[in-house]
Amino acid sequence: MAPFESIRDGHTSAPVPVELLTVTAKASVPVSGKRKGNVKVALNSNQVKSLQAGVHADTGGLYLVVRASGDRVWAFRFTDLEGKRAQMEFAKAGDRDSAGGDVLTLSRAREKAREYKVALKREGIDPRVKKRATAQGSKTFKEFAEEQYPDWCRGLSKEELSQWQRSIRDVPSLHEKKVHEITTEHVLEALKPTWTVKPVTASRTRQRIERLMDAAKALKLRSGENPAAWRGNLKHLLPSPRKLNRKKGHRSAPYTKMPQMMTGLRSDPGNAARCAEVGILTVSRSQEIRLMEWTELDFEAKTWMVPAEKMKIKGDLEPKPHLVPLSHQAIEIIQSMRRTDKYVFPSDHAEEHQPFRANALVGAIERTAVKSSMHGCRTSFRNWGADNKEHNFRREVLEFCLSHRVGDEAELSYWDSEMIQRRREVLQAWADFIKSRENASGKQQAERKRQKLRLVA
């Protein structure tokens, strides 16, 4: 017989055994049971009282465990969700069912075993989790959420707590569901009303539900796959929130207003404004600039290496590290920041050292009176580069500055140049356009004459 795990109490006098006892692969557990030909014969009530010490099989995964002390316990054997054989003791055997369910007759024990079997096969609920939840009275999704997220928000901004509260309010259909009973269908039903209307907000709500379900599994309040997981699960049932949000477009300002925006940011003393400035100068994405770390910077080479895990993943392409050449203006702002911990631009509203949230950068931009998003500033850069006749920038260089991959699979397989010098020229020209360099006295330097390049037809 395959090795299994047994759940029992170390004290034989306890009314309901609940702890795990693991049996090694070498252990042999004798199981008795009458057979008529190849058909296993079920136990009867007299045998339940008279059988000697050992493990005696009934039907449907139900077993009677008779200990040397004389105690008789009902156990359920099954194959868990990870494909391992397991055994769970769930009640004592007796002549009458107790009100609390800690003593069950043969017929009631069979019903209980059937319940465990159905929950395992149809709902993917591990019997041990179901038993534990029943013993603890289980918790509803709302109860469990309100126990967990306040601790997760400690040390963070007040806005984080309010966002958690709003996310929980947005899924009322989950409130009264038991944590161990929540399925993908339940999560799908809860998200659908807001998924296409507010894709970004709904996506963050899904992420929070996923975290709660992971916490419940860690606390052994549920088992199996996370019903709110995106990859391999909801990704195939809901449209991509990124694509839904793209239909509305990213708000961008004409590039002629970018110098005005940078002037407004310069007068803002907050760290978020410094973060937004460097993000615009490097035409990086919000996540990349907010998570910039000191170890990623090379001031001698004047570069910033963005790790692959921080890069945007699109389609089936694998993310790659992105080397960003830094303009003089970007280096000046970065070096003005105090080095307190790993992040270059830590939030100045949180108690702990942590990066800003995306909306903090948007707020800094809005205070300049120029309407745009961080992603919209990338659009402004791309339009400026395309319209610029003085420099005649190549399309491939502009796209590479935005960390876009240009060309088909065959072309990309032959093209591995970083174009670092060409991109440095582009980003320095962009920086000079939106934020003129200043000398040590604070006076603006005279604009240097640039060599006029012949336009390519």
Side-chain angles (χ1 to χ4, degrees), residues 34-59:
K34 291 186 177 181
R35 289 181 176 274
K36 187 174 182 180
N38 292 326
V39 180
K40 187 185 296 183
V41 179
L43 298 175
N44 58 50
S45 56
N46 289 329
Q47 289 174 319
V48 172
K49 299 177 185 178
S50 61
L51 286 171
Q52 300 300 309
V55 181
H56 308 280
D58 186 55
T59 56

Side-chain angles (χ1 to χ4, degrees), residues 370-386:
V370 179
K371 296 181 179 180
S372 179
S373 64
M374 279 298 293
H375 201 91
C377 293
R378 286 162 55 86
T379 302
S380 301
F381 162 80
R382 186 62 180 83
N383 291 336
W384 167 82

Side-chain angles (χ1 to χ4, degrees), residues 49-72:
K49 299 177 185 178
S50 61
L51 286 171
Q52 300 300 309
V55 181
H56 308 280
D58 186 55
T59 56
L62 179 65
Y63 290 80
L64 174 68
V65 180
V66 182
R67 300 196 177 111
S69 62
D71 287 345
R72 298 169 186 274

Side-chain angles (χ1 to χ4, degrees), residues 200-214:
V200 175
T201 301
S203 180
R204 290 173 182 165
T205 298
R206 182 206 63 76
Q207 293 170 16
R208 293 185 175 109
I209 297 173
E210 182 178 14
R211 184 176 179 183
L212 285 167
M213 294 297 98
D214 279 341

Side-chain angles (χ1 to χ4, degrees), residues 407-415:
D408 57 20
E409 186 177 352
E411 186 177 6
L412 289 173
S413 66
Y414 286 98
W415 189 356

